[in-house]
Amino acid sequence: MSEFPRIFAHRGASSLAPENTIAAFAKAMEVGAWWFEFDVDTKGGGSLIVSHDYTLDRPTAGQGPLTQQGFYS
């Protein structure tokens, strides 16, 4: 086992940058995280979407379900 603490960043460094974004992932590495976790789902046609929530309300300035925003169409 390593002598260093293991640091995981949930959804990137979500307290320092918008969660589940490249900025949050980069910030996690800057502050010493060895790993980060993020949420990914599939949509029609096999495309991927990175989002923890099924609505835009909490993580963004938008509102409503992702399905009504065209993300899962």
Side-chain angles (χ1 to χ4, degrees):
M1 182 158 212
S2 171
E3 62 184 82
F4 299 105
R6 294 181 181 203
I7 302 171
F8 297 86
H10 185 63
R11 298 181 212 147
S14 57
S15 65
L16 303 174
E19 66 184 46
N20 283 325
T21 64
I22 297 295
F25 305 154
K27 186 59 77 174
M29 292 187 302
E30 285 177 27
V31 298
W34 287 24
W35 297 275
F36 62 84
E37 170 275 337
F38 65 96
D39 305 283
V40 64
D41 199 356
T42 58
K43 64 178 240 172
S47 297
L48 302 176
I49 185 168
V50 176
S51 180
H52 176 75
D53 299 2
Y54 289 105
T55 69
L56 295 173
D57 300 16
R58 185 189 63 81
T60 73
Q63 292 183 348
L66 295 174
T67 54
Q68 291 181 355
Q69 307 300 322
F71 290 107
Y72 282 99
S73 57

